[in-house]
Amino acid sequence: DAATTSWDQIQRYSARTACALAVASIVAASVFGVRAAGGADAFGYVSEAQLWAERRLVAPDPLAPLANEIGGAVAPLGYAIAATRDALVPIYPPGLPLFMAAAQRIAGREAVYLVVPLLGGLTIWTTYLIGLRVADARTGLIAALLVAFSPLFVFHTLEPMSDIPAAAWWTTAWAMALVPGPWSAFGAGACVAAAVLTRPNLAPVAVVLLPVIASSAPRGNRVLLFVAALAAGCMTMSAVNASLYGSPFASGYGPLEQFFGRDHWRPNLSRYTRWMLDLHSPVLLLAAFAPLAKPVRVVVLMSIFCVAVVLSYAFYLVFDGWPFARFLLPALPLLFILVSIVLLRAIATMPTAWRGVSLLAVCTVLVAWDVNVGARLDILGIQRAEQRYRTIGVRLGTALPPRAVVLSMIQSGSLRWHGNVLTARWDLIADDRLDATVTLLESKGYLPYILLEEWEAPLFRQHFAQANGLGRVDWPPAFEYHGAERVRIYCVRDRGRFLSGETVVTLPIEAP
């Protein structure tokens, strides 16, 4: 009958539907995604990709020699001062920038923004493949659907950051590990190597895949090929660290002890649990019952993998705000597969005539939850908000004199990328050294400006107003951006003119 046919058709058309979901995700992320290198992460990855494309990772910088006087303020977000003290080096791992560099060399500079959408589509498709191989096509389809509509997943497909790439490589590694044969094991190892180059702290989680690799013949060859590919990635990561930071075990982020703490686990677990349930509904808790619904070794290993990812961040820095649930994205596809296993096990207990309509009803409710959460959080509005980085950078790149230096924080990288404007970070200048730093820059022939987003202005005044005249920013800005964020750019020389009675004209920078 029709009800039985609908249950069968879900199985029959699952691959095509999962493929359509992957393609739709790529298109949506490409259309609504961010095409600006703003903040720390986006600028860091995109600009590092440029360095890889130019086959160099140490970038000479005119301000770097001033590091002895003003310290780390000479480096924008995403960069540190090189050991030679006359250049800058990126602090982010090379995984995502390498793929961005390849895209740039193939299709031009703007192609870097297509890498994350493409890897997002890959994540959806490989989620389906894992579900298919662990259980059946329906399991894979439900999991792929839940990934594709996840507010957390969709939000991060829109940004040129490493969270979706890390999830893509781990999910693809699982999909390949479940395929018998030696070369699929090598492919799984290569994907884990890419994941390690993208997010090195998750490297220990690779041990969970070893029993999966060893479960198929020829067992010894598969394990050897997997480990060989993984080792190549680890050695590459070590070589980059040694070259840039002086030790294979160092990283651009600095000493590990400043990021991890024994007392972080309680607030972190509380926050991650709340964020994940708020974003995806309490249905996510069903994943805990998957080993009971399908008591096979691979399902248990998938559960262990998810727990291991969570534990990797349990002692990490404590953040506020749901977007930081992004650290758990490598586990999200497997979590949804485990949820799908439990849901389908429950639906399978129903009469055949009810199964198809029940499955469609459950999927409709879950997708409706995701869409409602996404609308409430305005996740598609990120493109409009982030566009300010490009707009302001381009405008100041044409309006400011060649020797301008902009003291900024969140835009310290984007101004360099989009406007080719030198920047220094005011948040790394000592509380009593703002006026002295500006005087030093002027003595070197630079014309200093100060850029403050509206949320930065109180922090700037709190930081500097007590000990520095410039810290009060008590004169009109030279430029003002009107958009999702209000941004003001002050010319330091205008303060003296304004205090002497001259009129300072503020030029508008309009949002597109």
Side-chain angles (χ1 to χ4, degrees):
D1 59 17
T4 304
T5 301
S6 67
W7 179 249
D8 293 336
Q9 285 181 336
I10 292 172
Q11 179 88 357
R12 186 178 306 127
Y13 292 103
S14 60
R16 300 178 203 178
T17 307
C19 183
L21 287 170
V23 172
S25 173
I26 294 171
V27 172
S30 300
V31 172
F32 296 104
V34 173
R35 290 180 175 267
D41 292 331
F43 166 70
Y45 292 121
V46 169
S47 60
E48 185 179 337
Q50 177 72 37
L51 295 178
W52 279 105
E54 296 172 354
R55 297 182 176 86
R56 63 188 179 100
L57 283 181
V58 178
D61 186 84
L63 295 182
L66 300 180
N68 291 332
E69 287 89 354
I70 59 177
V74 300
L77 287 168
Y79 282 78
I81 304 167
T84 57
R85 311 293 286 182
D86 62 352
L88 304 177
V89 293
I91 68 171
Y92 291 115
L96 176 57
L98 279 169
F99 285 93
M100 285 181 163
Q104 178 175 331
R105 291 185 67 86
I106 293 171
R109 183 160 155 162
E110 291 297 302
V112 297
Y113 300 111
L114 297 177
V115 172
V116 171
L118 288 170
L119 290 176
L122 176 65
T123 305
I124 294 171
W125 176 245
T126 50
T127 299
Y128 167 76
L129 293 180
I130 297 170
L132 172 67
R133 290 163 185 166
V134 169
D136 57 26
R138 295 186 193 93
T139 302
L141 177 59
I142 297 174
L145 181 73
L146 295 178
V147 170
F149 280 91
S150 159
L152 182 66
F153 177 84
V154 172
F155 182 76
H156 287 98
T157 61
L158 306 178
E159 295 197 86
M161 293 166 55
S162 66
D163 306 282
I164 293 296
W169 296 127
W170 279 110
T171 310
T172 306
W174 272 92
M176 299 194 76
L178 292 167
V179 177
W183 294 111
S184 62
F186 181 81
C191 288
V192 175
V196 169
L197 288 170
T198 304
R199 195 65 66 79
N201 66 297
L202 290 180
V205 181
V207 299
V208 181
L209 273 170
L210 279 173
V212 182
I213 296 294
S215 63
S216 299
R219 185 172 303 177
N221 288 348
R222 278 175 59 85
V223 171
L224 181 61
L225 288 169
F226 175 82
V227 172
L230 172 57
C234 293
M235 287 189 291
T236 301
M237 189 72 252
S238 297
V240 171
N241 288 341
S243 174
L244 296 182
Y245 317 121
S247 167
F249 306 104
S251 80
Y253 296 103
L256 289 179
E257 55 267 20
Q258 67 182 352
F259 295 97
F260 292 89
R262 288 178 297 177
D263 58 341
H264 293 174
W265 70 270
R266 194 183 300 274
N268 272 335
L269 292 183
S270 174
R271 282 167 167 80
Y272 290 139
T273 301
R274 184 178 72 253
W275 292 334
M276 294 295 281
L277 294 180
D278 288 347
L279 290 167
H280 303 111
S281 85
V283 75
L284 207 61
L285 297 173
L286 294 178
F289 301 96
L292 300 177
K294 193 173 182 65
V296 295
R297 182 167 64 166
V298 67
V299 172
V300 174
L301 289 170
M302 289 167 63
S303 302
I304 293 173
F305 180 89
C306 295
V307 172
V309 171
V310 173
L311 291 178
S312 297
Y313 291 100
F315 299 95
Y316 193 52
L317 294 175
V318 178
F319 293 99
D320 290 318
W322 66 268
F324 288 100
R326 62 192 174 89
F327 297 137
L328 307 186
L329 274 168
L332 192 66
L334 297 191
L335 275 174
F336 282 139
I337 292 169
L338 298 175
V339 168
S340 302
I341 288 172
V342 177
L343 285 174
L344 279 170
R345 178 63 183 271
I347 292 173
T349 63
M350 299 179 179
T352 305
W354 286 92
R355 294 177 185 175
V357 67
S358 299
L359 180 57
L360 291 173
V362 168
C363 290
T364 300
V365 170
L366 293 177
V367 168
W369 175 289
D370 289 343
V371 171
N372 178 65
V373 171
R376 173 166 54 84
L377 297 175
D378 191 26
I379 59 176
L380 296 182
I382 189 172
Q383 184 186 66
R384 182 178 64 256
E386 298 285 293
Q387 182 62 28
R388 72 186 187 278
Y389 294 118
R390 181 187 288 260
T391 301
I392 294 173
V394 170
R395 179 73 173 88
L396 295 186
T398 59
L400 298 187
R403 296 283 290 179
V405 174
V406 179
L407 303 182
S408 55
M409 183 172 67
I410 196 67
Q411 297 204 27
S412 59
S414 57
L415 291 176
R416 288 174 174 245
W417 181 254
H418 293 294
N420 198 28
V421 176
L422 280 177
T423 62
R425 286 179 57 182
W426 60 257
D427 58 307
L428 296 183
I429 297 173
D431 291 2
D432 59 348
R433 295 289 298 169
L434 177 64
D435 289 353
T437 299
V438 167
T439 300
L440 172 66
L441 290 171
E442 289 177 327
S443 71
K444 302 295 184 180
Y446 293 107
L447 177 58
Y449 286 76
I450 300 171
L451 183 149
L452 297 174
E453 298 206 350
E454 194 157 22
W455 62 271
E456 293 178 319
L459 300 176
F460 185 88
R461 291 187 174 93
Q462 179 182 352
H463 199 30
F464 296 119
Q466 186 173 353
N468 305 269
L470 294 172
R472 294 188 288 272
V473 281
D474 50 2
W475 70 99
F479 301 90
E480 187 167 9
Y481 172 81
H482 300 272
E485 297 279 350
R486 183 67 61 87
V487 183
R488 296 178 176 89
I489 300 94
Y490 301 86
C491 177
V492 168
R493 290 183 181 176
D494 284 346
R495 183 173 189 262
R497 294 174 49 223
F498 177 73
L499 294 179
S500 65
E502 293 186 42
T503 299
V504 174
V505 177
T506 299
L507 300 177
I509 303 176
E510 298 295 340

